[in-house]
Amino acid sequence: MDRGNTSRVTEFVLHSLSGPRELQLFYFVFFTIFYMSIVLGNLLIVLTVIFEPALHTPMYFLLSNLSFIDVCLSTFATPKMIVDFLMEHKTISFEGCMAQIFFLHVFAGGEMMLLVAMAYDRYVAICRPLHYAAIMNVRKCASLVLGSWVIGILHSISQLAFTVNLPFCGPNKVDSFFCDLPLVIKLACTDTFTLEVMMLSDSGLMAMSSFVLLLISYTVILVTVRRRSSAGMAKARATLTAHITVVTLFFGPCIFIYAWPFSDFPVDKVLSIFYTVFTPLLNPMIYTLRNKEVISAMQKLRSRQVSS
Ligand SMILES: *[C@@H]1O[C@H](CO)[C@@H](O)[C@H](O)[C@H]1NC(C)=O
């Protein structure tokens, strides 16, 4: 490629998990199984909530929307990564790269907002149980879901607005298995300091503030639960601890990658697997499949299907 001022990068080279051919094959099988479990597990939850009228409550609508976003979040880049394990040259076009950045921020931003909405729902249910019916209903829930998507899209557009027109004039090696914004910004032939400050105040601030919001609401909920001591509350405490685990596993890597962009950590690549692969798999396991109501709804649906 000609390196003059007018040349423009038309494709990026992805450096995914490297290693000898056998190891690549192992990754291929490993991540294929992971990806199929994510899609099947989450779709099962979405279908169960849609077909079981007993689960038509704000909490389960939010859960199934989370499952839906998880399918999206694991689909915008993971299948390409899986196929790339079999390829000699792992490349992506300029447009494909921008699309990956766009979708990552729509889905991850939407997921963050949805997690906040779910924490809010639990806060009202546990801390103000007498007002729950007045505060939360299906319509309020629908606007929370819509709001999450709108915020995700606006956030993504604001990030992409200053990325698409950057001068990419030569360097094109992205050290990850998909186009992650901090890694792509580093390749621009311009002063990246300003860009990184902008990214920090956009993605970093968004991740940081929703994380703090989540920690505060879960702390308030835990304190409330602790004051009452019945058997039901012990169960609620276990559920909440699980929620906090998921939230930390999702936000930890995001904040690490997006809020400390100035350092060049080689672990970024491994951490980005957390928010595109591990969280989408953990969410159904922790939020839903341990939940008795969901399990019995699934069994009911299955027996209905067997008898028809
Ligand atoms: C998401 O939430 C809305 C509003 O509560 C609900 O109507 C819809 O069925 C949910 N979507 C999915 C995929 O669960």
Side-chain angles (χ1 to χ4, degrees):
M1 193 184 294
D2 121 56
R3 287 190 163 254
N5 267 342
T6 50
S7 83
R8 215 176 139 73
V9 167
T10 54
E11 64 174 22
F12 291 95
V13 179
L14 298 174
H15 279 207
S16 73
L17 300 171
S18 52
R21 186 129 191 89
E22 296 74 34
L23 196 59
Q24 299 277 322
L25 266 178
F26 168 76
Y27 288 144
F28 175 81
V29 174
F30 181 76
F31 282 103
T32 303
I33 295 172
F34 247 78
Y35 178 68
M36 306 234 309
S37 332
I38 293 172
V39 173
L40 288 178
N42 283 298
L43 284 185
L44 187 65
I45 290 169
V46 170
L47 292 178
T48 307
V49 171
I50 287 178
F51 286 110
E52 177 53 52
L55 299 182
H56 287 181
T57 64
M59 181 175 122
Y60 290 107
F61 276 143
L62 291 175
L63 279 173
S64 81
N65 274 281
L66 183 74
S67 282
F68 178 69
I69 287 203
D70 276 337
V71 172
C72 300
L73 195 58
S74 61
T75 300
F76 84 96
T78 312
K80 168 155 173 54
M81 167 185 85
I82 291 173
V83 173
D84 273 352
F85 283 128
L86 302 179
M87 301 285 183
E88 200 64 43
H89 300 288
K90 312 174 202 302
T91 59
I92 184 167
S93 70
F94 181 84
E95 291 75 19
C97 185
M98 293 300 133
Q100 284 195 337
I101 293 177
F102 178 76
F103 287 121
L104 171 68
H105 286 267
V106 171
F107 300 143
E111 167 137 350
M112 284 179 187
M113 291 301 116
L114 211 51
L115 286 171
V116 172
M118 288 167 64
Y120 172 70
D121 172 69
R122 286 302 85 201
Y123 163 78
V124 178
I126 292 175
C127 300
R128 312 187 56 192
L130 300 178
H131 301 102
Y132 185 75
I135 299 175
M136 275 307 254
N137 49 41
V138 173
R139 259 190 67 189
K140 178 84 165 277
C141 173
S143 37
L144 286 174
V145 170
L146 189 67
S148 304
W149 281 100
V150 170
I151 292 179
I153 291 172
L154 289 181
H155 157 72
S156 186
I157 291 176
S158 74
Q159 282 283 334
L160 213 62
F162 66 82
T163 311
V164 275
N165 290 323
L166 287 178
F168 291 101
C169 58
N172 67 346
K173 292 188 176 52
V174 179
D175 191 20
S176 184
F177 66 89
F178 66 97
C179 283
D180 208 352
L181 186 62
L183 303 173
V184 173
I185 278 185
K186 282 201 193 95
L187 304 175
C189 309
T190 176
D191 176 21
T192 55
F193 182 78
T194 347
L195 292 172
E196 288 184 279
V197 171
M198 277 165 87
M199 193 182 70
L200 186 77
S201 49
D202 194 324
S203 290
L205 202 66
M206 177 153 163
M208 237 6 177
S209 49
S210 27
F211 185 55
V212 170
L213 210 59
L214 282 168
L215 283 190
I216 292 174
S217 47
Y218 279 127
T219 309
V220 173
I221 297 174
L222 273 178
V223 169
T224 311
V225 165
R226 194 160 283 239
R227 285 220 199 92
R228 312 174 197 153
S229 52
S230 63
M233 287 299 136
K235 194 183 141 244
R237 202 174 307 158
T239 316
L240 290 172
T241 317
H243 284 205
I244 295 170
T245 311
V246 178
V247 163
T248 310
L249 282 179
F250 179 66
F251 280 91
C254 285
I255 292 175
F256 192 80
I257 293 179
Y258 280 87
W260 278 275
F262 304 102
S263 38
D264 208 350
F265 292 110
V267 288
D268 279 13
K269 171 162 44 177
V270 177
L271 283 181
S272 56
I273 291 182
F274 267 88
Y275 52 78
T276 51
V277 180
F278 289 136
T279 327
L281 185 65
L282 272 180
N283 277 349
M285 296 195 322
I286 288 185
Y287 281 92
T288 321
L289 294 181
R290 292 171 22 143
N291 181 311
K292 291 219 173 59
E293 274 182 285
V294 176
I295 302 289
S296 70
M298 282 174 182
Q299 282 161 350
K300 223 157 62 179
L301 283 181
R302 207 178 61 198
S303 54
R304 208 186 295 166
Q305 196 144 55
V306 168
S307 62
S308 67

